[in-house]
Amino acid sequence: MKRTAYFVSESTGITAETMGHSLLSQFDTVDFEQVYMPYINTEARARALCQRMDEAHARDGVRPIVFATMLDEEIADILKQGDCFYLELFEHFVEPLSVELGVPPSRKSGQSHAITKPSSYTKRIDAINFAVANDDGMRPDNFRHADVVLVGVSRSGKTPTCLYLAMHYGLRAANHPVTEEDFEHGDLPAEVVEAKSRVFGLTIDPQRLQAIREERRPGSEYASAERCRRDIREAQTMFKRHAIPVLNTTNQSIEEIAAQILRAVKSPNGRAA
């Protein structure tokens, strides 16, 4: 089955897309063509989108699904009249929340991603710069300034997780790849060991690691099954030696890995329970 799904908003559409993706993920037997439609903030644009929805219905044989965060009721009414299954994602939350709080909603678009707290925004920007500058073990002397240090073999997910932690949570995240030099030395660098209260090890199943490395360097020794098994085995030995908590990235998204790290960082003892 194929369905077209639109993520529609008066502003950036980030909220509609995020919530819509989460809902669609529960229906993995359906093939969704996902269309991102931000800044539908005039009646003309709303009508043009309705025309596109009509065309999608004619093409697919079923009406498209619309995930929307539209606070302008007049524009929302135009979209609701379109040939679609319309879901207003704020509709079931804003009014009940208004009643509970005893104040009316502002109904201003773009508020969820606006820079409402400049200090928080600046913190995230600084964290992103820190993650980029301290990627791939470039500045081990900076590990002492990091909130989190991720350690793992090549292609285990360190860099994207660091950037996600920086962008979404403002954490200063650095990472160190466990390399041939570490294997020859038989241990992690001193800078990692000294920061181990903030260190998390990332591991991955050998078969999955081989598939990822094969895409990067096809047919290489680096991507061989034997090399992948050895790298993971020796890295895990190092993690165990220093009692470094380990997260398996094989079947977990970056969001799930980051959530576990964040929970651990916020726990009283600095580690996940």
Side-chain angles (χ1 to χ4, degrees):
M1 181 189 302
K2 180 179 180 181
R3 297 292 291 266
T4 301
Y6 291 95
F7 306 113
V8 184
S9 176
E10 301 162 313
S11 185
T12 62
I14 295 173
T15 301
E17 185 178 21
T18 300
M19 294 179 70
H21 274 305
S22 296
L23 293 169
L24 293 181
S25 69
Q26 299 300 310
F27 304 93
D28 54 7
T29 59
V30 181
D31 179 19
F32 292 105
E33 179 182 344
Q34 301 179 20
V35 184
Y36 179 52
M37 297 295 297
Y39 301 109
I40 305 300
N41 49 18
T42 67
E43 293 185 6
R45 290 179 180 177
R47 292 193 181 94
L49 178 54
C50 285
Q51 178 63 39
R52 289 189 60 173
M53 292 190 292
D54 291 344
E55 294 170 358
H57 189 172
R59 181 186 68 241
D60 299 341
V62 286
R63 59 182 177 169
I65 299 167
V66 174
F67 297 99
T69 52
M70 304 296 296
L71 294 175
D72 186 308
E73 294 180 356
E74 292 183 0
I75 295 178
D77 285 341
I78 293 173
L79 295 175
K80 289 176 183 177
Q81 293 168 18
D83 194 2
C84 65
F85 176 67
Y86 186 92
L87 290 170
E88 174 50 65
L89 299 175
F90 281 166
E91 191 172 78
H92 300 293
F93 302 102
V94 173
E95 292 306 325
L97 188 57
S98 175
V99 172
E100 177 64 24
L101 296 174
V103 294
S106 67
R107 295 200 174 276
K108 294 179 180 177
S109 65
Q111 289 295 92
S112 60
H113 301 284
I115 305 175
T116 54
K117 294 182 179 180
S119 60
S120 176
Y121 181 76
T122 299
K123 180 182 178 182
R124 283 191 290 137
I125 295 299
D126 288 344
I128 292 169
N129 289 333
F130 184 89
V132 172
N134 293 278
D135 183 42
D136 214 24
M138 288 191 290
R139 292 290 305 276
D141 56 310
N142 276 339
F143 289 169
R144 65 183 185 275
H145 301 303
D147 298 312
V148 171
V149 179
L150 302 186
V151 181
V153 300
S154 172
R155 315 311 292 178
S156 58
K158 301 179 298 300
T159 296
T161 304
C162 281
L163 288 172
Y164 186 89
L165 288 167
M167 292 174 65
H168 292 271
Y169 301 110
L171 289 180
R172 294 162 67 89
N175 72 77
H176 170 77
V178 184
T179 64
E180 283 296 319
E181 183 177 345
D182 297 324
F183 295 143
E184 291 173 6
H185 179 64
D187 205 353
L188 297 169
E191 293 88 348
V192 173
V193 177
E194 289 168 4
K196 74 173 186 176
S197 64
R198 303 183 301 282
V199 174
F200 294 84
L202 299 186
T203 191
I204 185 172
D205 289 353
Q207 297 88 342
R208 175 61 178 155
L209 180 62
Q210 183 184 14
I212 294 172
R213 288 184 173 182
E214 186 67 29
E215 290 181 2
R216 185 175 177 84
R217 298 182 193 171
S220 66
E221 188 273 337
Y222 164 80
S224 69
E226 182 180 355
R227 169 72 179 272
C228 291
R229 287 194 296 269
R230 189 211 68 176
D231 286 3
I232 292 169
R233 183 177 61 251
E234 295 193 16
Q236 289 178 325
T237 298
M238 296 177 190
F239 299 156
K240 185 176 181 179
R241 179 182 303 135
H242 297 288
I244 292 171
V246 179
L247 302 174
N248 192 314
T249 66
T250 306
N251 296 310
Q252 294 194 83
S253 66
I254 292 172
E255 293 86 350
E256 290 171 319
I257 299 165
Q260 292 183 64
I261 293 171
L262 186 68
R263 185 168 63 249
V265 169
K266 289 186 174 181
S267 69
N269 62 358
R271 294 299 190 196

